[in-house]
Amino acid sequence: MKKVMVVDDELEILDVLKQFLSRSKKYEVETYTNPVNALKHAKNGGYDLILSDVMMPTTSGMDILKEIKETNPNIKVILMTAYSNQQKADESKKLGVDKYLEKPFKSLQEVESAIASVI
């Protein structure tokens, strides 16, 4: 079973993703609304994948990506954003993002496919 962290300041998104991803029994899913707490857990939590929103209070998904890849470059990271632009996509690629998803998702299968493609 793969260990997945989902970080988003929207509880509804966390709930939906946790329920959807947990149903297959392929993923052990932990959710965080606070990116600072998520980052602390990510550094020593043995995660295979971090699925993070980009725009959050206190710390952005880009900051999480940068810190995680510096401490453990093997952790896969997928960033989610409702405010996509080419500059952010290019910046995230330079920092080592594995995939970039636009919100709202076309479907939950789109998220599942993105996860399957990186882990």
Side-chain angles (χ1 to χ4, degrees):
M1 186 175 300
K2 300 290 185 180
K3 193 168 179 184
V4 176
M5 172 187 282
V6 183
V7 187
D8 201 307
D9 56 326
E10 294 181 51
L11 284 173
E12 185 177 326
I13 288 175
L14 292 178
D15 290 343
V16 167
L17 288 174
K18 183 171 185 164
Q19 287 179 9
F20 180 75
L21 295 173
S22 297
R23 85 198 187 306
S24 71
K25 308 261 190 263
K26 291 181 194 173
Y27 309 110
E28 176 187 339
V29 182
E30 294 180 9
T31 61
Y32 295 87
T33 56
N34 182 319
V36 175
N37 287 343
L39 196 49
K40 286 178 192 172
H41 285 93
K43 288 183 178 177
N44 57 12
Y47 294 94
D48 297 293
L49 171 75
I50 297 173
L51 185 63
S52 177
D53 190 17
V54 172
M55 300 293 287
M56 294 178 288
T58 67
T59 301
S60 76
M62 299 294 272
D63 293 334
I64 289 173
L65 170 65
K66 184 178 180 188
E67 283 199 48
I68 290 301
K69 289 295 186 171
E70 284 175 1
T71 58
N72 187 345
N74 296 325
I75 295 178
K76 302 297 183 187
V77 179
I78 297 175
L79 292 180
M80 310 175 288
T81 185
Y83 307 100
S84 182
N85 66 47
Q86 193 58 48
Q87 182 182 352
K88 280 221 188 289
D90 291 345
E91 182 182 347
S92 66
K93 285 179 185 166
K94 286 179 189 169
L95 294 173
V97 75
D98 295 283
K99 199 108 177 144
Y100 204 76
L101 285 174
E102 288 188 29
K103 293 191 310 188
F105 311 121
K106 294 177 184 121
S107 69
L108 289 172
Q109 285 74 22
E110 175 188 23
V111 177
E112 190 173 41
S113 293
I115 292 170
S117 75
V118 299
I119 60 174

